[in-house]
Amino acid sequence: MATTTLDRRSLLRGAAMGGGILGLQGLLPAWAQTGSAGLRADLPGLDGPNINLTVGHSEFTVGGRTGHAVTVNGLLPAPLLRMREGQNVRLSVTNTLDEDTSIHWHGLLLPFQMDGVPGISFPGIRPRETFVYEFPLIQSGTYWYHSHSGLQEAIGHYGPIVIDPAGADPVAYDREHVLVLSDWSFMHPHEILAKLKKSPGYFNRQKTTLSGLLDGSDGMSAAERRMWARMRMDPRDILDVSGATYTYLINGYGPQENWTGLFRPGERVRLRIINASAMSIFNVRIPGLAMTVVQADGENLSPVEVDEFQISVAETYDVIVRPTEDRAYTIVSEAIDRSGMGRATLAPRMGMAAEVPPLRKVPNLTMKDMGMGGMDHSAHGSGGMDHGSMKHSMRDPANAPADMDVGVGVDAIAQSPSNRLADRPQGLEDVDHRVLVYADLRSLTPNKDRRPPSRTMEIHLTGNMERFMWGFDGRRFSELVEPIRFELNERVRVTLVNNTMMAHPIHLHGHFFELVNGHDGHQPLKHTVNVAPGGKVTFDLTADAPGDWAFHCHLLMHMHAGMFNVVTVRPLAGGAS
């Protein structure tokens, strides 16, 4: 199969392939088509409703090195798809690979046969075949699309979607930029997964050291270190795959390549931020510039002004910034283990740059991250703490709920996971500026279904970290687990309980759920939620989409190691069971 070499700079001066050749100026909204020097579309894109996409092999270059990618229309990230609410879209996807592929339309509400998950909603797209996705758009907002076949998503098979509202947009802005955050490794994802299976800490190059204890740079006392050693746990096991192998990208550009988005001082600039990573959770900030969060996962929010937010894998956030000075600003997407960062620039003119802040101090896991929410970090190593009891509580499967399978897939059970929606995210507990928390999110419009839930359900997120096995309720998907069943239109309150020390972004296909975060009647709608280590998340779900839907952790390696299941909503249309 012939490969295409990606030259992003020339692509930005050219046009996207498929669905007809589109000049980049024509992709700009009407308010941005001023003809002023420097104004341009930021990503090659395609307009709906009829779009042609081709999945194939490409070479991808970043940081002076070139590797192999799986791309859509030869682009990484894939073309920006711009569509409008109310359109009936027809997306023809041709597979030129020698293996099956697929596209899942992440966050879109559509018939389950169009959802794009092989083996669940359709057979997949065979080599040299074309599959036509066709469905009405009944929503607006910022979304994305990616492969659900093998590990193709990790090597470039992902791209952004913007659906403009049919009526007036409640968010006022003068200009927009789409920012696709992702991670890239020259090591093939199958090799990454194999290394994690053999040694889960393979990519953790930031472990505590003797010198770190002596000079205090590890931020841990000797008593704390002894405690972690007794429990055979690593206080810096925060991300399974780190900057030791990943380059963190923004719109396909590495940190040294400085992707730049333009603005005029005083403009309200909308940044549509998508975390399309395989395994990386980011903390996002723009030093010197406040951000007003106006949308999460494509759904409008009551505005919240912050200085930094955490975006987990597969989440999207829209923010408004208003730079008033004639200067450049650095956009930082720092991995939560502080092993690397993505970097881009907002500037009035091309070629400008601002200071890039250094990586911050590596955080350590805390008692809350072990599901011991009643003990704060300052209590570590205190004389009144029974470390032997803590070891038993965290690791003994005898602590598992009665309905949890505690076979080889479970090596640790958090003692008392807690609701952490109002807690600052990992590594941001002590920063001296405003940080977004889930409890801040409030739906702009009232929730449509105000019925109280008719039943409750608890789902445990479990794993064996030493063997890199992950699952729900102690079982991997390969163990022929029973699907999660809902009656059509029933209202259920679901609590996700994270019994592990790792964060898990959990995604439900085909639905939005309402986070139970204290804003009764205006609970925020999400399709993906990050469940903190040792944490709980409760949401209300109206099961209004009949069919079979994927439900999984969106850390790609966790999903492939077993944290996946099927949600089935019955009866189907026409009363079929």
Side-chain angles (χ1 to χ4, degrees):
M1 181 65 60
T3 61
T4 301
T5 300
L6 302 190
D7 180 349
R8 291 182 300 280
R9 290 156 189 79
S10 63
L11 285 169
L12 288 173
R13 292 192 296 267
M17 297 178 290
I21 302 299
L22 298 179
L24 291 179
Q25 178 71 11
L27 293 177
L28 289 168
W31 42 261
Q33 295 182 28
T34 63
S36 299
L39 280 177
R40 57 171 174 76
D42 301 295
L43 291 173
L46 301 167
D47 283 341
N50 297 306
I51 293 174
N52 297 324
L53 301 172
T54 300
V55 180
H57 295 283
S58 301
E59 290 181 344
F60 175 68
T61 300
V62 64
R65 296 179 63 190
T66 299
H68 168 260
V70 171
T71 59
V72 179
N73 291 12
L75 303 177
L76 192 165
L80 166 63
L81 306 185
R82 190 112 203 180
M83 302 177 283
R84 181 170 293 277
E85 182 182 12
Q87 286 180 328
N88 286 297
V89 296
R90 180 182 173 89
L91 301 122
S92 299
V93 181
T94 299
N95 180 13
T96 67
L97 302 174
D98 294 324
E99 63 189 50
D100 288 6
T101 193
S102 58
I103 291 182
H104 164 57
W105 314 100
H106 188 102
L108 298 198
L109 302 175
L110 36 64
F112 82 95
Q113 299 92 338
M114 298 289 110
D115 191 49
V117 182
I120 306 297
S121 55
F122 85 137
I125 307 172
R126 309 298 184 205
R128 282 158 291 283
E129 290 188 356
T130 297
F131 182 84
V132 179
Y133 296 88
E134 195 164 6
F135 50 88
L137 295 175
I138 60 172
Q139 66 203 102
S140 62
T142 303
Y143 303 95
W144 64 296
Y145 62 106
H146 59 83
S147 172
H148 234 287
S149 300
L151 299 176
Q152 295 169 3
E153 182 186 344
I155 50 176
H157 192 336
Y158 54 82
I161 296 173
V162 173
I163 304 175
D164 292 308
D169 194 325
V171 180
Y173 59 100
D174 303 305
R175 182 194 301 259
E176 70 176 27
H177 297 297
V178 177
L179 301 177
V180 180
L181 314 181
S182 61
D183 44 29
W184 171 266
S185 175
F186 290 97
M187 184 182 296
H188 194 279
H190 287 297
E191 184 178 352
I192 291 176
L193 183 56
K195 289 185 181 300
L196 290 171
K197 284 284 189 180
K198 293 174 184 175
S199 175
Y202 181 88
F203 296 101
N204 183 0
R205 310 294 164 82
Q206 302 185 121
K207 297 180 181 180
T208 55
T209 63
L210 177 60
S211 61
L213 172 63
L214 295 176
D215 65 17
S217 61
D218 280 348
M220 297 181 66
S221 67
E224 288 175 295
R225 290 165 64 92
R226 287 194 298 271
M227 176 193 73
W228 286 98
R230 287 192 193 102
M231 293 185 292
R232 293 182 292 117
M233 294 181 178
D234 181 357
R236 290 186 172 170
D237 193 359
I238 295 171
L239 290 177
D240 293 304
V241 191
S242 71
T245 187
Y246 277 149
T247 298
Y248 299 111
L249 309 179
I250 298 182
N251 290 347
Y253 283 65
Q256 304 306 316
E257 298 169 332
N258 194 24
W259 179 91
T260 301
L262 300 179
F263 69 85
R264 288 197 186 101
E267 285 183 324
R268 290 171 54 87
V269 182
R270 182 176 191 161
L271 304 178
R272 299 179 181 266
I273 303 171
I274 301 163
N275 188 348
S277 296
M279 293 292 290
S280 304
I281 302 171
F282 296 110
N283 293 325
V284 176
R285 69 191 194 276
I286 308 175
L289 205 53
M291 300 177 287
T292 300
V293 181
V294 294
Q295 196 178 91
D297 287 359
E299 290 289 329
N300 293 317
L301 301 169
S302 297
V304 183
E305 187 170 277
V306 300
D307 299 298
E308 187 164 11
F309 64 90
Q310 186 169 108
I311 182 168
S312 197
V313 178
E315 291 187 303
T316 74
Y317 282 103
D318 285 27
V319 304
I320 298 292
V321 296
R322 191 172 185 180
T324 57
E325 300 178 57
D326 186 51
R327 71 174 183 91
Y329 298 85
T330 296
I331 302 169
V332 176
S333 57
E334 186 177 44
I336 62 168
D337 67 345
R338 309 277 167 77
S339 62
M341 69 167 66
R343 171 259 185 142
T345 296
L346 282 178
R349 294 170 295 283
M350 296 299 293
M352 299 180 70
E355 179 183 359
V356 179
L359 290 167
R360 293 175 292 190
K361 183 178 177 181
V362 182
N364 296 318
L365 293 168
T366 69
M367 291 294 97
K368 283 188 176 183
D369 300 319
M370 292 197 298
M372 299 178 184
M375 306 174 189
D376 66 27
H377 187 54
S378 63
H380 287 188
S382 64
M385 189 176 292
D386 183 349
H387 298 310
S389 173
M390 286 176 12
K391 175 181 177 181
H392 175 84
S393 298
M394 182 65 194
R395 304 192 67 85
D396 191 343
N399 293 298
D403 59 349
M404 184 190 296
D405 188 323
V406 289
V408 296
V410 177
D411 73 341
I413 301 295
Q415 181 183 25
S416 54
S418 59
N419 184 320
R420 304 186 64 180
L421 297 186
D423 291 358
R424 287 185 166 201
Q426 278 181 295
L428 300 180
E429 296 90 345
D430 301 320
V431 297
D432 60 357
H433 53 246
R434 298 165 296 180
V435 175
L436 184 73
V437 298
Y438 276 141
D440 291 331
L441 306 184
R442 184 180 187 273
S443 173
L444 184 64
T445 57
N447 299 139
K448 293 179 181 178
D449 192 346
R450 304 294 294 276
R451 295 176 298 162
S454 60
R455 64 183 174 110
T456 61
M457 174 183 296
E458 198 169 86
I459 299 172
H460 290 260
L461 317 182
T462 54
N464 184 321
M465 297 174 73
E466 294 181 4
R467 299 178 66 173
F468 204 75
M469 299 165 63
W470 303 97
F472 293 119
D473 293 325
R475 302 189 71 189
R476 294 167 293 163
F477 185 62
S478 60
E479 298 176 62
L480 300 177
V481 297
E482 280 293 307
I484 301 168
R485 301 180 187 278
F486 296 104
E487 292 292 324
L488 182 61
N489 291 320
E490 79 166 316
R491 185 91 165 141
V492 183
R493 175 158 290 187
V494 179
T495 297
L496 304 175
V497 182
N498 189 351
N499 288 113
T500 80
M501 279 173 39
M502 304 292 293
H504 298 287
I506 301 299
H507 173 47
L508 173 60
H509 288 220
H511 295 78
F512 280 84
F513 47 77
E514 303 159 21
L515 284 189
V516 178
N517 71 342
H519 297 296
D520 290 347
H522 284 265
Q523 295 178 159
L525 300 181
K526 296 275 288 169
H527 53 58
T528 305
V529 63
N530 193 60
V531 188
K536 289 183 177 181
V537 167
T538 296
F539 61 77
D540 289 339
L541 171 68
T542 299
D544 57 2
D548 296 326
W549 304 98
F551 174 73
H552 60 92
C553 178
H554 222 287
L555 295 176
L556 189 60
M557 306 300 176
H558 287 195
M559 181 179 77
H560 278 263
M563 195 174 278
F564 183 98
N565 203 347
V566 175
V567 164
T568 181
V569 179
R570 295 290 189 274
L572 299 176
S577 60

